[in-house]
Amino acid sequence: MFRRRSSASEDTGASAVETPEETRARLDGQEAKGRPTPKRKEAQAARKQRLTPPKDRKEAARLMRQKRYEERIRTQAALKSGNEANLPARDRGKVRRFCRDLVDSRRNAAEYLLPLLAVVLLLSLSPSPTAAWLQLVVWLGTIVATVADTLYLVARTKRELARRFPSEQTGGAVRYAVLRSSQLHRFRLPKPQVARGEELPERY
C-alpha cells in the first residue's frame, strides 16, 4: 500500500517537472504569438472590462463611433476582397453573387452610357453641321443599344435565376443586376471576381 502511494507521488512529481523540450516548446509558442498566454484572472478582467457599460453619454458615443468605424473598415475590405461574411446585406447570398458574376462576365452597353454622353456634350459645343449630325447619331445609337442590351440582360437574368435557384428568394435580384451593369467595370463594388468572357459555374 505504501509502495503504491510513493510510486504515485513520484510519478506526479516527475510529471510536474518540466523537461527542457517542454520549456522550449512553451517559449516558442509564446514567441509565435508575440505575447505570453494571459492568466485566467487577466482574461476575466479583460472580459469584464468589455462587458462594463459606459460611464456616461460621452463615453457611449465614443464607443459607438469606434464600433461604426471598425465595421466600416471591415465592410470596405470585404467590398474589395469579396469576403461574403462582411459584405453589406444587399450584396450577400449566392443569388446576388451570381448576378454580379453574370454582369461582370460580359460587356454591358449601359456601362458606356455616361462616357458616350460626355462625347455628345463635347460634340454639341461645336458649331459644325457634321458635329451636330454625329451628336445625333451617337445619342440615338447609345439609347437604342442601352435599351436593347438591358432588355436582353433582364431576360437572361430571369431565365438563369429560374434555372439555377428555383427554391431561392430572388426578389430584387434583376434590378440589382441592372444597376450593376450601369457602373463602369473598374469602379464596381464589390470588386468583380470573374473576368470578361469567363464561363460561370453551375452551382454557387
Side-chain angles (χ1 to χ4, degrees):
M1 180 181 297
F2 292 102
R3 289 182 180 177
R4 292 178 180 175
R5 289 184 178 177
S6 61
S7 61
S9 62
E10 289 176 0
D11 294 341
T12 305
S15 61
V17 177
E18 192 177 54
T19 63
E21 290 78 5
E22 292 174 346
T23 303
R24 191 179 301 109
R26 177 172 56 83
L27 293 177
D28 290 342
Q30 292 181 2
E31 292 177 358
K33 292 185 297 183
R35 64 185 186 280
T37 303
K39 298 180 180 179
R40 175 180 290 183
K41 291 183 179 180
E42 296 176 354
Q44 291 178 349
R47 182 173 179 272
K48 185 177 181 181
Q49 185 178 3
R50 291 194 300 267
L51 296 178
T52 302
K55 298 179 181 180
D56 50 22
R57 291 184 178 180
K58 186 176 181 180
E59 179 69 13
R62 186 187 68 81
L63 294 175
M64 184 61 66
R65 288 195 301 269
Q66 181 179 357
K67 182 179 180 180
R68 286 198 297 262
Y69 173 76
E70 294 174 353
E71 291 178 352
R72 186 164 63 251
I73 293 299
R74 288 194 297 268
T75 300
Q76 290 176 353
L79 289 173
K80 294 180 180 180
S81 64
N83 183 11
E84 186 77 16
N86 294 320
L87 285 176
R90 66 181 179 86
D91 297 313
R92 294 178 189 169
K94 54 186 178 181
V95 173
R96 297 303 173 96
R97 172 64 186 272
F98 167 74
C99 290
R100 292 197 300 270
D101 289 351
L102 177 64
V103 172
D104 298 337
S105 64
R106 63 190 299 269
R107 292 189 180 275
N108 306 275
E111 64 183 292
Y112 302 105
L113 181 60
L114 289 179
L116 289 175
L117 288 179
V119 173
V120 171
L121 289 177
L122 290 177
L123 291 174
S124 65
L125 299 177
S126 175
S128 172
T130 303
W133 179 79
L134 287 175
Q135 174 188 356
L136 179 61
V137 171
V138 172
W139 172 252
L140 291 178
T142 300
I143 297 300
V144 172
T146 301
V147 171
D149 186 69
T150 302
L151 291 176
Y152 172 77
L153 176 62
V154 169
R156 184 182 177 186
T157 303
K158 289 182 177 180
R159 183 175 66 251
E160 292 294 331
L161 288 176
R163 183 176 69 87
R164 294 170 182 262
F165 310 100
S167 60
E168 298 286 340
Q169 295 290 337
T170 59
V174 175
R175 181 174 57 183
Y176 180 80
V178 172
L179 289 177
R180 186 172 179 86
S181 69
S182 64
Q183 302 169 355
L184 290 175
H185 188 272
R186 62 180 302 178
F187 297 120
R188 292 172 185 167
L189 291 175
K191 288 291 185 180
Q193 302 296 313
V194 297
R196 293 188 190 272
E198 182 177 340
E199 186 176 354
L200 303 182
E202 282 294 323
R203 295 185 178 182
Y204 276 79

